[in-house]
Amino acid sequence: MNKKTIVIDILRYRPEMDEKPFTQSFEVPYIEDTSILEALQYIKDHLDSTISFRWSCRMAICGSCGLMIDNIPKLGCKAFLRDYYPNKISLEPLANFPIERDLVVVMDDFMQKLESVKPYLIPGDNACMSSGEYQQTPLQMEKYKQFSMCINCGLCYAACPQYGLDNNFIGPAALALLARYDRDSRDAGSAQRMKILNQEEGVWGCTFVGYCSTVCPKKVDPAAAIQLLKVESSKDYLIGLFKPD
Amino acid sequence: MNELKEKTYKRSHEPVFWGLFGAGGMLCAFITPVMILITGLLIPLGYINRSHFDYNNLHAFASTWYGALIILVLIALPLWHTFHRIFHGLHDLGIKRGRDWQRVLCYGFAFTVSVFIATLLFAMF
């Protein structure tokens, strides 16, 4: 029998009974291939059934189990006890989001930001059903594919110091999503989205810290998307000087 | 979604400052190490003849149109770069008061010094 254990500190907050968040410690059995998410499930099943956290797929696809592990935004299913043993692990809800309960955060603002960038294919004027399906070469797909891999986990918002300072900033995931549609050969909505980019809270809220790309579990690289969009916005600014709309 | 449709978008003037910042950053990254190598190591160690960099030679260089332009660019762009960083650094430090004044002071200083250098160089012709 494996008798090794590891201590996990969890920041808890139950709005109906707690004045403010507090830390509660749990001791769970240490097994090399236990993920942080599985450790949380162990705590809920065996130690304290009142603890709340989000999860679904257990394999870094759904983007539900984002949390701060030792102050770094990570997916609970993609981090393992072995990476921390024998030290204790601190778990907190994602930074820069309001806490709903325990490790669950309110993602409303994030969802609204995603919606705000017109994240859908906007057809051109001449597009009609009878012209058949869109053709796309591998090269045309390569231009946006990376930015389409986002699972909306929100880790980049927890990492972004600019979003933390001013949450009017549209933020990394939403801007990467904007780039994903902007760079798609089937889309003709660039002019509409350009107005969103050009704002102070659009791409210009970013100072290229790059932490969003470091923590991204799907290698989307939102920082790169934003820098590419800054170039587009700058070109549009120059054109706007000579041809105001 | 209705509230989004009513939203008016306000264009930022950041591209101007970001452009100067980027150009200044490129210069700092590529030219500064070379200048340090030449003036800080190669000349003192005698690999480059000191007389190439005496007053008369440098004055002659600064008096040509391309020399004046190179000197202006080498001073002005890194200055814009620096003050853009300082301006955003103040925001990062959470100093929220007087953002407009911070902007005027930072970019105003860069602008004033750029004009001053340009005037000095122009006076040398």
Side-chain angles (χ1 to χ4, degrees), chain B residues 94-116:
Chain B
I95 302 167
K96 287 182 181 154
R97 279 181 64 184
R99 273 311 267 171
D100 292 342
W101 278 105
Q102 290 175 25
R103 191 188 291 270
V104 168
L105 283 175
C106 287
Y107 297 131
F109 185 80
F111 179 77
T112 311
V113 174
S114 301
V115 171
F116 177 67

Side-chain angles (χ1 to χ4, degrees), chain A:
Chain A
M1 267 298 277
N2 191 338
K3 291 272 169 56
K4 283 195 253 182
T5 60
I6 186 166
V7 176
I8 299 183
D9 284 348
I10 300 179
L11 192 73
R12 302 211 53 186
Y13 176 61
R14 297 154 299 178
E16 73 282 1
M17 54 201 294
D18 303 327
E19 193 106 308
K20 55 182 182 186
F22 66 97
T23 307
Q24 190 177 352
S25 291
F26 298 95
E27 200 169 346
V28 303
Y30 170 77
I31 304 165
E32 231 184 21
D33 56 4
T34 303
S35 68
I36 300 285
L37 176 61
E38 285 168 319
L40 279 170
Q41 288 168 329
Y42 179 89
I43 293 169
K44 191 163 177 82
D45 290 347
H46 300 280
L47 305 176
D48 186 344
S49 61
T50 67
I51 195 153
S52 301
F53 53 95
R54 282 198 183 109
W55 66 280
S56 177
C57 77
R58 299 166 281 113
M59 48 198 218
I61 292 295
C62 74
S64 306
C65 64
L67 72 173
M68 305 297 284
I69 305 177
D70 281 356
N71 250 335
I72 295 173
K74 286 185 180 176
L75 294 179
C77 64
K78 228 181 160 216
F80 293 85
L81 296 186
R82 61 172 178 267
D83 300 329
Y84 301 89
Y85 187 82
N87 300 321
K88 67 176 181 182
I89 305 171
S90 126
L91 301 182
E92 290 179 10
L94 279 180
N96 299 340
F97 289 94
I99 304 176
E100 189 161 311
R101 184 184 189 87
D102 294 340
L103 298 172
V104 177
V105 293
V106 183
M107 299 202 98
D108 297 6
D109 183 54
F110 175 65
M111 297 299 171
Q112 217 170 3
K113 296 277 162 61
L114 291 177
E115 274 180 20
S116 75
V117 299
K118 301 178 196 268
Y120 36 82
L121 290 177
I122 299 175
D125 292 336
N126 300 323
C128 64
M129 290 289 272
S130 60
S131 52
E133 71 274 18
Y134 286 105
Q135 304 272 323
Q136 200 164 50
T137 65
L139 185 68
Q140 285 170 326
M141 194 177 86
E142 202 50 49
K143 263 194 89 182
Y144 69 83
K145 191 175 174 219
Q146 177 189 352
F147 302 136
S148 73
M149 302 308 278
C150 174
I151 56 172
N152 305 335
C153 61
L155 297 196
C156 53
Y157 282 67
C160 177
Q162 296 303 342
Y163 181 72
L165 282 166
D166 178 4
N167 66 8
N168 286 318
F169 175 40
I170 293 175
L175 287 168
L177 185 65
L178 190 153
R180 176 254 173 274
Y181 283 97
D182 238 19
R183 297 167 69 78
D184 193 318
S185 60
R186 299 166 293 182
D187 180 83
S190 291
Q192 292 180 40
R193 295 196 195 91
M194 189 58 82
K195 292 194 173 75
I196 303 169
L197 296 184
N198 286 340
Q199 305 170 95
E200 201 68 50
E201 57 263 42
V203 284
W204 302 110
C206 165
T207 53
F208 202 10
V209 175
Y211 196 27
C212 51
S213 296
T214 310
V215 302
C216 179
K218 304 307 281 185
K219 306 257 189 305
V220 171
D221 202 352
I226 298 173
Q227 301 318 300
L228 289 166
L229 293 172
K230 277 183 182 174
V231 175
E232 292 308 312
S233 177
S234 297
K235 280 192 218 159
D236 187 68
Y237 185 89
L238 271 180
I239 294 167
L241 288 179
F242 301 106
K243 215 181 78 186
D245 41 25

